[in-house]
Amino acid sequence: MINRRAKRRLMNEINVVPYIDVMLVLLVIFMITAPLIHPGQIELPQIGKSSTAPVEPLEVIIAADGGLTLRDRSKAGSEQKMSRSELVKAIKNKQMQNTEQPVVIAADKNVRYEEVINIMDILQQEQVSKVGLLTKPR
């Protein structure tokens, strides 16, 4: 009985040799593969280049009755009521002049979300880029 207790006490030690073997194998694998990995190149901004001011977005306003209005924020007070086809033509003309021209969609709180998605879908089908949603903080 005493002999069995002595063996149990010796079993309490953790054999770390297999862990060290695994660690050394992983170290060798990493040492072999590290020179084969080529890091990607990052293009950093150049000193002295002036950044252009951000472009004010075009705002598509969807009224409660479903009417569409296009507001050009770069021109103060420039709002035009228009149909869907006129809206797409106006936005595409603006984006042809400036490819960085963003478009945001604002809707009345009583407008169904489906109408907002329809306008986004129409703009996407016409390859209008940089379309987002305008939200108001609470």
Side-chain angles (χ1 to χ4, degrees):
M1 188 122 145
I2 295 172
N3 199 8
R4 287 185 183 171
R5 287 184 184 169
K7 284 185 181 179
R8 285 186 184 168
R9 287 184 189 157
L10 292 177
M11 297 287 289
N12 289 338
E13 295 179 10
I14 297 175
N15 188 3
V16 294
V17 173
Y19 300 114
I20 294 173
D21 291 343
V22 169
M23 181 194 66
L24 290 174
V25 168
L26 288 174
L27 180 66
V28 169
I29 290 171
F30 289 134
M31 287 174 61
I32 292 172
T33 59
L36 302 176
I37 298 173
H38 298 290
Q41 291 186 352
I42 299 173
E43 293 183 25
L44 297 174
Q46 299 294 323
I47 297 175
K49 287 188 177 178
S50 64
S51 61
T52 58
V55 179
E56 289 291 327
L58 294 174
E59 187 175 338
V60 177
I61 303 167
I62 305 172
D65 62 354
L68 299 173
T69 304
L70 181 64
R71 179 187 296 162
D72 190 351
R73 289 187 173 183
S74 62
K75 299 175 186 174
S78 175
E79 288 188 12
Q80 300 172 357
K81 292 189 180 270
M82 51 185 60
S83 67
R84 289 181 179 194
S85 61
E86 293 171 336
L87 176 76
V88 171
K89 286 178 187 176
I91 291 173
K92 287 186 86 168
N93 285 339
K94 276 292 209 177
Q95 284 194 340
M96 286 176 74
Q97 294 170 5
N98 184 359
T99 57
E100 297 296 316
Q101 180 72 57
V103 178
V104 293
I105 299 173
D108 187 86
K109 67 179 182 178
N110 297 325
V111 173
R112 290 180 51 134
Y113 196 65
E114 179 182 1
E115 185 64 28
V116 175
I117 296 299
N118 287 338
I119 298 297
M120 287 182 74
D121 188 42
I122 290 169
L123 294 175
Q124 184 180 20
Q125 287 175 0
E126 295 294 328
Q127 280 79 35
V128 173
S129 60
K130 296 191 176 191
V131 178
L133 295 176
L134 183 66
T135 60
K136 292 183 181 177
R138 289 186 170 190

